[in-house]
Amino acid sequence: MAASKAPSPSSPKALIYMSLLALQFGIQPCLTKKFTSPEIIIPTVIFTQEMVKLLMAIIGITLSTSTKWKDVTSGWSIQSWLRLALLPATIYLVQSTCSLLAYQNLDAVTFNVLNQTKTLSAALCCFLLLGKRQSKLQIVALVVLLLAALVLEGVLPLDFKYYVNYLSNTKTADNNDTTKFSISSRHVSHGVLPIMLASFLSGLAGAITQKRLQSGGGRNALMFTMELCVASILILLVSFATSEVGKKIQERGFFDRWTLLTLVPILTNSA
């Protein structure tokens, strides 16, 4: 069966998709911070999100006119599923946990800028795992991206006097200097570090997935999404049965600190 032709990047359909993706990317931190309680049991949110993604993938394959179940499941086996999906699913679960923690402790602009460092980790991991090198222009762009993230967090202040004082080994008298980087602050420990880790894990999982798909003969995108979701759900169920998270759920209930609006960021993030 002939593969469906992807829309041109300049086609109206592609522009609409890109605009919707940009909108979702911009509002997701705001929605999550507003509608997800800081006291919520984070794995319950991730579990529900994986269930929603799984349902969407099933509906997508079922309603597709160019994709049939017999085609996407041809050659499928439990062994191939475990080999392709288990490790990436585990990494994505840790990434989702870190991202949700960062959503709750960073403003939207800071989150989105720091989240873009996943481009750096993707480039690094693709080089280490796949041997893909970047062009000189791409390397410059990646360095600029990193510098932008560091400037935003005050690690590299834009104040010229700061560097003059630093080089002359003098200390400013202002104890409220916002350019100082405190690793002990909640902003860093519960916001910056989690999103930086999530960004790195995103690049790592992407590179691992690409390498395994290339060596495993490829997969339909929706089918692979289903495989990741099922692996993630099973891992979470094991976690619920064996960890402190399960005890919290038993004591407080699965939907403790949930509201109907909690589903809003889950749906937008799953789409």
Side-chain angles (χ1 to χ4, degrees):
M1 182 175 62
S4 57
K5 189 176 181 180
S8 168
S10 59
S11 69
K13 186 176 182 180
L15 292 175
I16 291 174
Y17 287 154
M18 286 189 289
S19 298
L20 290 175
L21 181 61
L23 178 62
Q24 184 272 337
F25 186 83
I27 67 173
Q28 188 63 40
C30 301
L31 293 176
T32 303
K33 193 169 186 177
K34 184 177 180 63
F35 298 129
T36 305
S37 170
E39 299 176 2
I40 204 169
I41 303 175
I42 291 179
T44 64
V45 177
I46 299 173
F47 182 87
T48 306
Q49 186 169 284
E50 294 301 317
M51 292 293 293
V52 172
K53 288 180 181 178
L54 178 60
L55 180 60
M56 288 183 174
I58 292 174
I59 293 174
I61 295 177
T62 302
L63 298 182
S64 175
T65 57
S66 60
T67 305
K68 303 300 180 182
W69 279 104
K70 64 178 181 180
D71 296 324
V72 299
T73 57
S74 177
W76 184 90
S77 66
I78 293 179
Q79 290 80 3
S80 66
W81 165 58
L82 292 174
R83 181 176 58 83
L84 291 176
L86 185 59
L87 180 58
T90 304
I91 295 174
Y92 281 130
L93 280 178
V94 179
Q95 178 207 354
S96 297
T97 302
C98 292
S99 294
L100 189 54
L101 183 62
Y103 276 134
Q104 297 170 335
N105 292 281
L106 295 175
D107 62 87
V109 174
T110 301
F111 180 93
N112 281 332
V113 172
L114 294 180
N115 192 35
Q116 287 305 303
T117 57
K118 63 186 177 184
T119 308
L120 286 167
S121 66
L124 175 62
C125 292
C126 283
F127 171 71
L128 295 176
L129 296 179
L130 301 172
K132 289 188 175 181
R133 296 180 177 273
Q134 306 297 315
S135 67
K136 293 181 179 180
L137 183 60
Q138 288 172 325
I139 293 175
V140 171
L142 292 172
V143 172
V144 171
L145 176 62
L146 176 61
L147 291 176
L150 295 176
V151 168
L152 181 67
E153 281 305 303
V155 181
L156 291 178
L158 291 178
D159 187 0
F160 179 73
K161 292 182 180 179
Y162 177 88
Y163 295 101
V164 173
N165 291 333
Y166 178 80
L167 293 175
S168 61
N169 293 320
T170 60
K171 296 183 180 180
T172 60
D174 186 3
N175 292 327
N176 296 320
D177 187 359
T178 58
T179 63
K180 293 181 179 179
F181 184 74
S182 175
I183 195 68
S184 62
S185 70
R186 182 177 179 84
H187 172 79
V188 174
S189 62
H190 288 66
V192 175
L193 293 182
I195 188 55
M196 296 295 285
L197 177 58
S199 298
F200 171 76
L201 292 176
S202 175
L204 176 61
I208 291 174
T209 298
Q210 184 175 349
K211 183 176 182 179
R212 294 193 173 188
L213 287 177
Q214 287 177 352
S215 61
R219 271 290 200 278
N220 174 274
L222 290 176
M223 182 62 185
F224 188 62
T225 297
M226 289 178 56
E227 291 179 293
L228 288 174
C229 290
V230 171
S232 298
I233 290 168
L234 292 177
I235 293 171
L236 286 170
L237 287 175
V238 172
S239 173
F240 292 164
T242 59
S243 69
E244 291 296 323
V245 173
K247 294 180 180 179
K248 287 184 179 180
I249 294 175
Q250 289 180 351
E251 294 171 359
R252 296 167 49 184
F254 188 92
F255 295 106
D256 182 56
R257 304 294 179 178
W258 279 63
T259 67
L260 283 177
L261 292 177
T262 305
L263 291 173
V264 173
I266 290 177
L267 291 173
T268 55
N269 201 32
S270 301

